[in-house]
Amino acid sequence: MAVYLITGIGGFIGSSLAHELLRRGQQVRGVDNFSTGRRENLAQILNQIDFREADILDLDAMKLACDGADYVLHQAAIPSVPKSVLDPVGSNRANVDGTVNVLVAARDAKVKRVIYAASSSAYGDTPTLPKHERMTPDPISPYAVAKLASERYMISFYRCYGLETVALRYFNIFGPRQDPSSPYSGVLAKFITQMLSGQQPTMFGDGEQSRDFTYIDNAVEANLLACTAPAAQVAGKVFNVATGRRITLNQTFKLLQKLTSYSGSPVYAAERGGDIKHSLADISHAEQHLGYKPEVDFEEGLRRTVDWYRSQSKAAGA
Ligand code: UD1
């Protein structure tokens, strides 16, 4: 049994990792300051994990948290493009300074490996699709710059200190427990909850932007594979975590109309600053070196997610 430290354990991805690790009989420790994470995400597992309420900007707390950990899954972040456009200093603090603290603490505690929640936004709006890891990054938003900087810190700590690190470039992860309530929430969480409650969603731009939306179980699997894959294949490296398919927001809206029985249309508004137009991953590098294969496709993931939000609203109404 290994000890996994999850930063941002109260978040959507962090809590999903925790649930799966517990299911596999592993020992889970977690930190969160609940700036974007939610206590509800931990309600069912709080008595099975070693939870410490702490900020990744607190180096001493990170050192305590890393002490005795085998693996660190660094998910804590302020994960929003528009929020970073409004507050680049806050974005940099959480997404870069926080990462450096986690790395220093992990290095000093001699953890076996650090897995990092990197972002496909690092690619920017370069016209070439699909995006592969050998492409020169061209981040647009402060968020994307911060995520890329942290990714480079991962590689730097491997090169300078021999700390094994793996950066996973997430492509629009979605699924149960993603917070729909903030203006900065992911589009699927927002659209699904709005459509289930009969509210009209807002489409920023013409709706023809596309994304390689990736169901959460695939991202969880990628993290666990990244912990155990041979160091020679993965340490100090970057991998896309996606499905290798893309869909436009307009097409997604149509699928959601069927799943939610929402018959209205979206309202179209101005394009969002800092957004990229199209996103699609080449996942061959992850397939080859991590043994990653997306097990849940977009449509199935969407069905499961709609079912989950529906069950939540029923439980809340009951
Ligand atoms: C998302 C993630 C980011 C991650 C990146 C790459 C979130 C909140 N952001 O960024 O952390 O690094 O993928 O994996 O999960 N949109 C609407 N209406 C809305 C909300 C959004 O039309 O109400 C549009 C946006 O303008 C954008 C698209 O939907 O064109 C996707 O937006 P969003 O879900 O915020 O994700 P990304 O910005 O792609």
Side-chain angles (χ1 to χ4, degrees):
M1 196 163 56
V3 177
Y4 290 76
L5 169 66
I6 303 173
T7 69
I9 195 170
F12 154 54
I13 300 177
S15 61
S16 302
L17 284 164
H19 279 85
E20 182 58 19
L21 283 167
L22 290 173
R23 208 185 59 79
R24 294 187 190 195
Q26 303 296 328
Q27 221 170 306
V28 176
R29 187 182 292 172
V31 294
D32 207 300
N33 67 351
F34 297 114
S35 66
T36 56
R38 298 197 300 173
R39 289 175 202 277
E40 303 93 275
N41 287 340
L42 302 177
Q44 289 162 6
I45 55 169
L46 205 52
N47 59 356
Q48 299 167 65
I49 62 176
D50 171 1
F51 175 70
R52 297 136 189 233
E53 189 164 342
D55 193 318
I56 54 171
L57 289 168
D58 180 347
L59 180 58
D60 290 338
M62 289 311 107
K63 287 190 171 181
L64 283 174
C66 283
D67 187 33
D70 293 295
Y71 302 101
V72 176
L73 308 178
H74 177 36
Q75 312 296 311
I78 298 183
S80 164
V81 170
K83 205 168 184 177
S84 77
V85 174
L86 285 173
D87 179 17
V89 173
S91 171
N92 191 78
R93 214 175 274 140
N95 298 332
V96 183
D97 296 347
T99 298
V100 179
N101 273 350
V102 170
L103 278 170
V104 166
R107 179 202 63 189
D108 292 355
K110 298 190 170 40
V111 308
K112 291 190 178 121
R113 204 171 276 182
V114 178
I115 316 300
Y116 176 57
S119 170
S120 63
S121 58
Y123 290 111
D125 229 353
T126 45
T128 315
L129 293 176
K131 312 286 189 197
H132 59 77
E133 296 86 344
R134 296 174 310 286
M135 286 169 68
T136 307
D138 188 18
I140 297 173
S141 62
Y143 168 76
V145 172
K147 281 279 159 179
L148 180 62
S150 281
E151 190 184 291
R152 296 305 312 188
Y153 269 115
M154 290 290 145
I155 298 168
S156 167
F157 270 61
Y158 178 58
R159 290 185 181 162
C160 293
Y161 310 109
L163 173 64
E164 291 180 13
T165 57
V166 184
L168 302 177
R169 281 189 184 161
Y170 293 159
F171 281 67
N172 292 79
I173 313 299
F174 73 99
R177 282 196 292 275
Q178 190 169 26
D179 178 11
S181 64
S182 139
Y184 307 110
S185 295
V187 66
L188 295 182
K190 279 174 81 180
F191 278 14
I192 293 170
T193 49
Q194 286 164 341
M195 291 164 86
L196 283 174
S197 61
Q199 294 164 40
Q200 187 176 34
T202 301
M203 197 88 85
F204 299 129
D206 61 4
E208 285 306 297
Q209 65 266 53
S210 59
R211 292 290 185 272
D212 189 336
F213 288 112
T214 305
Y215 187 65
I216 181 67
D217 288 16
N218 301 320
V220 168
E221 191 60 33
N223 273 275
L224 304 187
L225 288 167
C227 291
T228 51
Q233 280 172 224
V234 301
K237 297 214 164 65
V238 174
F239 297 94
N240 288 343
V241 172
T243 65
R245 283 180 54 207
R246 73 186 165 109
I247 184 163
T248 67
L249 275 196
N250 285 326
Q251 287 167 330
T252 304
F253 185 84
K254 286 205 183 95
L255 287 175
L256 285 178
Q257 277 184 317
K258 286 198 198 104
L259 292 171
T260 62
S261 309
Y262 178 82
S263 55
S265 51
V267 59
Y268 287 86
E271 205 173 293
R272 219 173 53 175
D275 263 4
I276 58 163
K277 187 79 183 173
H278 299 296
S279 183
L280 172 69
D282 177 335
I283 56 171
S284 56
H285 187 53
E287 285 175 335
Q288 205 180 331
H289 297 285
L290 280 182
Y292 167 78
K293 187 176 173 296
E295 295 291 347
V296 182
D297 68 19
F298 175 63
E299 285 80 2
E300 174 59 21
L302 209 54
R303 269 191 294 276
R304 291 188 196 179
T305 308
V306 170
D307 285 349
W308 186 82
Y309 283 113
R310 191 179 275 125
S311 72
Q312 293 300 107
S313 60
K314 276 201 189 122

